[in-house]
Amino acid sequence: PLFGAMLRLSVVGLVVSAELECPEEYLNRHARTVCPKWTYRKRAMVLTCKGGGGCHKMTVRESSVEEVGIIPVGAQDVKLEIKADADIDLHVREASHCIIGFGCKFHTGCSNESDYCIEYKDQQMYFSGDDQSVPVREVFAVREVKHFQLSLKIEGYQSGHAIAEYSYGSLPDCEADVPYGCAACESYTGCHNDTYPVCDGTAEVKCVPPLPMWIKACAVLAGVLVLVMLYAAYVKKKQLEIQAEKELAEQEMADIMKKREIPFVAGSHELMDGGQDVLQQIAAVLSKYPAVHGIRIEGHTTSKNNGPLAEKRANSCKDALEGLGVKCQIKVKGVTNSTKEVKIFVYEPDSGDSDGPATPLLP
């Protein structure tokens, strides 16, 4: 007889243990992914705006009260099923007022799960009734939470294990960044002795000691070095982009002036009509490349005695370009004993060589 009783107890224990496993569908879909990595799972029920369901294992201590979840106003078609291997009670509360459960306003079970026999403040609810036989099973459901959020708790009359399996519809007007049932890691209060919490989105929060000061200092220094390197790379990139713009501008101006020189009235610095057309094209190039901050215009003549004329011709080009809206700095220079033409080069105003030899950017 003793062996038979022990065998029956073992079989019952195996059956109860099997019933306290979450369904495979919830394990595959929700395990370790319901809360963001920078939070921890504070309650068994985790609700997101789009609706869904889940399952969570719990350990219940004798005479303890565990909060299973908070159901916000507007939630619809909410169902919670508690299974346990010990005598526990499911309580549904509105603030401090116990609505459903053993010792509460409504404690008698409805006839079946389609019978929402409890009406409280215009809310239709279902309760399976108090169950004291192992395996314990108690179920609560509500069609819609209308006035105040509901708190779902379980009270342990014995120590044991339980699972909370739940489902719910989408939550209207929901804009929560953190799902209901999750909490920010820094809000965790279970760490002591100068330790701080580290979370990964599960219910398990690790309390770790702070890093030594030298490691923090190294981390800060490494961060600063990374920022310096990133800034240096950014500056180098911008310099290369600016240099490329200047080279393109000079190349395009050279191409324009190869096709057509800037003509002047013989023995004068007065521009002819064709010269104005060429300078309009030059002005368009300079407008296209804002990285060009300065240009040098050289007026050339073949006679050494015509130095003043060469410079006047360069000034005529400068005046024409400024009249066309060119905003960059323009330097002029007269060059004798050369060909009868005008040359335009790009230069950097801050380089200090604006009055030096005419050295183009391009070879």
Side-chain angles (χ1 to χ4, degrees), residues 2 10 20 32 41 60 74 78 81 108-109 123 133 137 163 165 188 193 195 201 212 225 235 245 287 320 328 330:
L2 180 60
S10 298
L20 293 183
R32 297 183 177 274
R41 188 169 187 160
V60 183
V78 180
E81 180 177 353
T108 304
Q123 300 170 110
S133 302
R137 178 179 180 271
I163 63 168
E165 185 178 342
Y188 183 74
N193 300 324
T195 61
L225 290 175
V235 170
E245 271 199 37
S287 175
C328 70
I330 302 176

Side-chain angles (χ1 to χ4, degrees), residues 74-91:
Q76 299 179 3
D77 301 321
V78 180
K79 179 181 178 181
L80 170 64
E81 180 177 353
I82 297 292
K83 297 177 183 177
D85 59 5
D87 185 11
I88 64 169
D89 285 332
L90 171 61
H91 288 166

Side-chain angles (χ1 to χ4, degrees), residues 227-246:
L227 290 176
V228 169
M229 292 173 64
L230 289 174
Y231 179 72
Y234 170 79
V235 170
K236 182 65 175 177
K237 179 175 178 290
K238 294 302 292 184
Q239 288 175 338
L240 291 174
E241 290 175 352
I242 291 171
Q243 182 71 9
E245 271 199 37
K246 291 178 179 179

